[in-house]
Amino acid sequence: MHKRLITTLSLGLLVFSASAQSNDYLANIVKVIEPKTSQTAIVVRALGSEGQTRSATDNEYRKDAERLFVPASTMKLLTAVAATTALGRDFKFSTQIDAFVGIQNRRIEGDLFVRFDGDPTLTVSDLRQLFKQLQKQGLEHIDGNVYLVGDQQETLQAPGWVWDDLGICYAAPVSRYILNQNCVKAKLSPTLANNKSKLSFSQFEPVVITNTAVFDKTGDIPFCELSLQRQSNNQFLLSGCHAGQKPLKLAIAISDPALYAQNSVTNMLANLGITIKGKVLLTSKRPPNTLLLAEHKSKPLSDLTDTMLLKSDNLIADSLLKRLGQQIYGVPGSFINGSAAMKQILMELGVELESANIVDGSGLSRYNLLSAEQLTQVLLLIKQHKELNFLVEQLPVAGQSGTLEYRSGYTTPPLKGAVLAKTGSMMGVANLAGFIKEDGELSKSFVILENGHSPAVKKSEFSPFNVLFLQSMVQKAQP
């Protein structure tokens, strides 16, 4: 399919290369390469000095610019702009331990409170370091309970998330309670004696995975596929079959973050030798007038957005979305108030989102709807506002970094190094939004949305339509 389109494009270039107008040229190219099975929308804008859009109409190409599409991870562009605007690029998540009194006689009289802040980067190691800080202050015993402060009633997934994604770590639950990205890493290995398998973990994991999976070492099993069933209380059933003899790495999203944190802290205290008279419990509120004993802060927002855009990190995106809801409305953050806050922030910046539907910050939801024009307006904000300019350098670069480093068609000229863009891909969706760089400067912004993308095209190839359109656009600009 890809080779046939390239041949067709070459013929199209010969036919239409004499076109005087850039928009006519691109329109003719689209007629040649546009897939028959999907819907597409495109906006290309030439950038002048200071990122301003040039006024000449022949420096713009638009196709179905107002039509709404599922944006997938291009939604993270909106999250990055809204979070930077409302929270500031120096914002940090803060996980705190406090109590009514300090440590005296190697103990704390009364209860201890661990306030989880929804930090998407918080690890078990980070939390252990907090308790080690208390040990350095002499702590050996807690006379009361240890309360983990969070929200046990919050919605962990946004409406429109695909149910069969929920066991995979890129769709891990979004909670005030986050440890190790709410993701369990394991290795499934074949046994020597038979086709059975064994499951191993690199560290203690407070989950139960019942494993009946087998390895098909000889290829004799007609249908060989692994199956993971999610059950309550962070229990899972792994069954089915894996072809081959090599061990398989697994990344499994937990289902109950609060329970995972509760069991992790219980095990942590025991391993550190800190005894506790009571239990490790969950609570929604930290009492007033407590004394701060230890604190862990995340990296600043500018570092978080770098990871979010470069690696398309969903947990960071939706954690920031919930924090927007908390920041704007002064109530516990949720997908609903976070989405409303993000829409409000961006509309105040001039993005016309009246027709848009925003459900999450990651783009995982199939209910999100954006147009190519709306995404273009967000790109122009990034380019024109100095406080947002740093986001340009955080975008994946074709053939060099992030989700565009190994994409077929982007690893060689003319696109390698010339395209800086956020990808957005899921079943049937192949989107791209970003900038073209020429002679070291950003010359154009572009948005290419394709919904209904055929699953017959290998995921590694992304979208031949996107690749060929950008190649024709870049080649047209070259002398």
Side-chain angles (χ1 to χ4, degrees):
M1 179 179 178
H2 200 161
K3 290 181 179 179
R4 180 176 63 82
L5 280 173
I6 291 175
T7 302
T8 305
L9 174 62
S10 299
L11 294 174
L13 285 171
L14 291 174
V15 174
F16 299 122
S17 60
S19 173
Q21 299 293 328
S22 176
N23 53 358
D24 291 341
Y25 169 83
L26 294 177
N28 288 328
I29 290 298
V30 169
K31 289 179 182 179
V32 174
I33 67 173
E34 186 174 19
K36 296 180 180 179
T37 59
S38 59
Q39 304 80 47
T40 59
I42 303 171
V43 174
V44 177
R45 290 193 184 180
L47 301 175
S49 61
E50 300 299 324
Q52 299 296 323
T53 306
R54 294 176 185 169
S55 58
T57 56
D58 63 347
N59 286 319
E60 178 178 320
Y61 173 72
R62 296 165 62 85
K63 176 187 180 297
D64 292 329
E66 306 294 341
R67 182 174 292 180
L68 296 176
F69 284 70
V70 176
S73 283
T74 59
M75 177 66 75
K76 294 183 177 73
L77 292 169
L78 280 70
T79 305
V81 170
T84 302
T85 301
L87 303 175
R89 59 183 297 175
D90 296 325
F91 165 81
K92 298 178 182 179
F93 289 94
S94 175
T95 305
Q96 299 177 343
I97 296 181
D98 55 8
F100 292 111
V101 296
I103 300 169
Q104 297 178 354
N105 300 321
R106 298 189 176 277
R107 66 176 56 216
I108 287 178
E109 294 183 1
D111 301 323
L112 192 72
F113 299 88
V114 182
R115 186 181 75 90
F116 283 79
D117 196 32
D119 179 356
T121 63
L122 185 70
T123 65
V124 168
S125 178
D126 294 330
L127 198 56
R128 184 182 293 112
Q129 289 301 317
L130 283 180
F131 281 106
K132 284 187 175 181
Q133 289 182 39
L134 301 187
Q135 280 188 315
K136 290 180 180 179
Q137 298 173 39
L139 180 64
E140 294 180 355
H141 179 74
I142 301 167
D143 262 344
N145 297 312
V146 173
Y147 286 98
L148 308 185
V149 184
D151 184 355
Q152 294 85 57
Q153 304 301 320
E154 68 181 319
T155 302
L156 304 178
Q157 292 92 17
W161 285 19
V162 179
W163 71 269
D164 51 355
D165 284 347
L166 301 184
I168 305 172
C169 284
Y170 66 71
V174 186
S175 171
R176 284 279 296 278
Y177 299 106
I178 298 179
L179 281 175
N180 293 345
Q181 299 179 305
N182 286 342
C183 174
V184 172
K185 303 291 180 65
K187 184 170 69 172
L188 187 70
S189 305
T191 59
L192 296 176
N194 47 43
N195 285 347
K196 293 183 179 180
S197 64
K198 62 179 181 180
L199 200 64
S200 58
F201 304 92
S202 59
Q203 62 182 22
F204 169 78
E205 293 288 1
V207 299
V208 176
I209 303 178
T210 302
N211 174 36
T212 61
V214 299
F215 273 77
D216 181 13
K217 301 177 182 178
T218 58
D220 295 333
I221 300 177
F223 183 78
C224 185
E225 187 173 285
L226 286 176
S227 173
L228 179 71
Q229 296 181 27
R230 302 167 67 247
Q231 301 173 332
S232 60
N233 301 322
N234 292 331
Q235 297 186 45
F236 305 87
L237 176 60
L238 182 64
S239 60
C241 147
H242 178 65
Q245 302 184 42
K246 295 182 178 180
L248 177 68
K249 292 182 179 180
L250 301 177
I252 302 171
I254 61 174
S255 54
D256 190 335
L259 179 62
Y260 184 78
Q262 188 177 17
N263 291 338
S264 294
V265 171
T266 300
N267 178 73
M268 188 183 303
L269 292 173
N271 285 341
L272 290 172
I274 299 175
T275 58
I276 175 173
K277 184 177 181 180
K279 297 179 179 180
V280 177
L281 303 173
L282 304 173
T283 185
S284 297
K285 292 184 179 181
R286 177 180 58 175
N289 303 320
T290 54
L291 177 67
L292 180 64
L293 302 179
E295 182 178 27
H296 169 81
K297 291 189 176 183
S298 71
K299 292 181 178 179
L301 177 74
S302 56
D303 285 27
L304 299 182
T305 56
D306 186 42
T307 302
M308 179 183 72
L309 294 174
L310 200 63
K311 298 183 178 180
S312 204
D313 191 297
N314 296 320
L315 187 60
I316 290 177
D318 284 319
S319 297
L320 289 175
L321 180 89
K322 285 191 171 184
R323 180 48 60 97
L324 287 177
Q326 178 181 332
Q327 178 77 12
I328 298 301
Y329 300 115
V331 296
S334 68
F335 283 103
I336 293 176
N337 61 35
S339 296
M342 185 157 77
K343 193 169 186 177
Q344 175 183 321
I345 294 164
L346 292 170
M347 289 182 71
E348 289 175 354
L349 291 172
V351 182
E352 299 171 358
L353 292 174
E354 291 84 356
S355 64
N357 194 47
I358 296 176
V359 178
D360 64 20
S362 63
L364 277 174
S365 176
R366 292 277 178 170
Y367 296 168
N368 291 313
L369 290 172
L370 291 175
S371 70
E373 173 59 29
Q374 289 162 345
L375 279 165
T376 296
Q377 291 176 17
V378 174
L379 289 172
L380 294 180
L381 278 177
I382 293 173
K383 185 63 178 69
Q384 293 167 1
H385 289 244
K386 290 183 178 180
E387 64 273 17
L388 299 174
N389 288 170
F390 74 98
L391 296 172
V392 174
E393 301 304 320
Q394 296 183 347
L395 293 172
V397 180
Q400 295 179 10
S401 63
T403 54
L404 283 178
E405 184 172 3
Y406 301 111
R407 293 277 192 182
S408 177
Y410 294 90
T411 59
T412 56
L415 300 187
K416 183 177 180 180
V419 175
L420 295 78
K422 184 69 199 76
T423 55
S425 57
M426 55 173 59
M427 178 66 73
V429 177
N431 302 332
L432 202 64
F435 302 95
I436 297 295
K437 179 178 284 189
E438 299 175 65
D439 299 324
E441 299 292 334
L442 299 185
S443 61
K444 298 180 182 69
S445 69
F446 71 89
V447 176
I448 307 173
L449 303 180
E450 181 182 355
N451 284 193
H453 175 60
S454 174
V457 179
K458 293 181 180 179
K459 187 175 181 181
S460 62
E461 293 185 0
F462 196 41
S463 168
F465 173 68
N466 289 355
V467 172
L468 296 175
F469 179 83
L470 287 173
Q471 286 177 343
S472 64
M473 187 170 71
V474 173
Q475 288 168 344
K476 174 66 177 177
Q478 293 175 346

